[in-house]
Amino acid sequence: MAYLSNPTYTKAVLEAHGFSFQKKYGQNFLIDGNVLNSIIDAAGITKDDFVLEIGPGIGTMTQRLCEEAREVVAVEIDKTLIPILDDTLSTYKNWSVINQDILKVDINKLALEKNGGKPIKVVANLPYYITTPIIMGLFESHVPLESITIMIQKEVADRMQEGPGSKEYGALSLAVQYYSKPEIVCEVPPSCFMPQPKVSSTVITLKCHNNPPVECDEKLLFQIIRASFNQRRKTLQNGLSNGLHYSKEQIAEAIEKAGFSPTIRGEALSLEEFAKLTNVLKEL
């Protein structure tokens, strides 16, 4: 039975193994059972599911995942945590661990081997410093995904839901909304972790689209989005002129044909409007 969300047990396990937190890995272990339950409930894990967990730590969430899922593969970069996982997960038979950087793992291959290429569920308490690269890596590599349920910095979760006109709105907001529907599960104060982070966290579920909500050339769409937000203070026209392999005249023509003002900035466009511009530019 899962027991590690109790801080007393967490301390005992860490002391028994002589574990030292490593700042470079952004390690903050969850010690609140209610938050853990919220994550598991939001992920909607069933006995049919293969689950990929990123950053299992000492196995707090892994224990619960093993109880709910058909199979769990945990990816952990810190080799000193592997013997601890072997200990805390010793009573479970449906798990394995990959001691590697998640950004270097071939998740498409893993999904094929473990789930027949069908969509998988990802659950994670992500280190703040690497949240965006992990999420974008999952999306851009077109891993078959059903959902991603993650604990991340509150500020990043807020950015994922923002719309046009907000200063927090940007490339991450558009990418998350292109690939999924973000839903906030709960906010989590620093006191729910060991050691306590300096910022608040949020649990968010990204329910992945079977098909994107807009139709356009995906590669060009994100080239346009990135160029639009690389220099936020510039107009859309100037930003795209610096960031795309189109002439200034072509970009000006596309913006006009799409029905936008020549002085509009990228942060004012919705996902649908970026898609419209992509389709116009593609035809030039």
Side-chain angles (χ1 to χ4, degrees):
M1 183 176 175
Y3 60 87
L4 283 171
S5 57
N6 181 310
T8 302
Y9 285 118
T10 297
K11 284 181 183 178
V13 167
L14 296 176
E15 288 173 3
H17 288 269
F19 177 79
S20 297
F21 289 95
Q22 296 200 57
K23 195 172 183 180
K24 66 178 178 178
Y25 293 140
Q27 292 167 329
N28 302 96
F29 298 157
L30 182 63
I31 53 170
D32 187 289
N34 291 327
V35 174
L36 180 59
N37 289 338
S38 295
I39 295 170
I40 298 298
D41 290 346
I45 308 296
T46 73
K47 284 297 181 184
D48 293 327
D49 288 327
F50 166 75
V51 178
L52 171 66
E53 183 185 9
I54 303 170
I58 63 170
T60 305
M61 191 148 56
T62 324
Q63 289 183 337
R64 285 295 310 278
L65 291 172
C66 286
E67 291 174 358
E68 304 294 334
R70 169 174 54 83
E71 184 177 0
V72 179
V73 170
V75 178
E76 176 54 62
I77 193 172
D78 186 353
K79 65 182 179 181
T80 66
L81 285 168
I82 305 305
I84 300 181
L85 289 167
D86 287 336
D87 178 15
T88 60
L89 301 175
S90 61
T91 60
Y92 302 99
K93 306 302 179 188
N94 59 336
W95 71 281
S96 57
V97 63
I98 299 172
N99 181 205
Q100 199 173 344
D101 180 346
I102 186 63
L103 297 177
K104 297 178 181 177
V105 175
D106 186 341
I107 303 174
N108 275 298
K109 183 181 177 184
L110 193 64
L112 183 62
E113 291 174 351
K114 298 291 188 179
N115 210 44
K118 299 191 299 291
I120 66 173
K121 292 179 179 177
V122 176
V123 181
N125 175 13
L126 290 182
Y128 298 150
Y129 75 97
I130 202 170
T131 297
T132 300
I134 289 175
I135 292 170
M136 293 307 298
L138 287 168
F139 285 147
E140 291 178 344
S141 59
H142 294 100
V143 171
L145 295 167
E146 183 173 335
S147 65
I148 304 173
T149 303
I150 44 176
M151 175 109 65
I152 56 177
Q153 188 174 343
K154 181 181 183 300
E155 178 185 319
V156 178
D158 290 344
R159 276 167 48 203
M160 289 181 178
Q161 299 188 98
E162 288 292 347
S166 163
K167 68 177 182 178
E168 301 299 334
Y169 181 62
L172 178 63
S173 318
L174 286 156
V176 166
Q177 292 164 34
Y178 177 82
Y179 291 109
S180 70
K181 180 182 178 184
E183 295 180 3
I184 295 292
V185 177
C186 62
E187 294 187 5
V188 186
S191 59
C192 293
F193 299 92
M194 179 188 301
Q196 293 189 18
K198 295 178 181 178
V199 295
S200 293
S201 304
T202 294
V203 177
I204 188 169
T205 293
L206 310 178
K207 296 187 176 180
C208 301
H209 298 309
N210 291 326
N211 297 296
V214 294
E215 290 187 19
C216 63
D217 182 304
E218 181 180 317
K219 184 178 179 181
L220 180 57
L221 170 69
F222 283 103
Q223 286 175 345
I224 291 171
I225 287 171
R226 280 191 287 269
S228 300
F229 288 98
N230 276 344
Q231 296 170 298
R232 294 181 71 107
R233 292 185 180 182
K234 287 194 171 186
T235 62
L236 178 64
Q237 187 167 315
N238 286 336
L240 297 185
S241 297
N242 291 334
L244 296 179
H245 297 298
Y246 288 89
S247 68
K248 287 186 177 181
E249 291 74 22
Q250 286 176 311
I251 289 167
E253 182 185 346
I255 290 172
E256 183 181 354
K257 279 188 175 180
F260 306 135
S261 163
T263 59
I264 198 169
R265 292 180 178 178
E267 62 193 29
L269 298 190
S270 66
L271 177 60
E272 290 73 21
E273 288 170 327
F274 271 113
K276 183 179 181 182
L277 179 61
T278 301
N279 288 328
V280 172
L281 202 51
K282 184 79 174 176
E283 291 175 2
L284 292 182

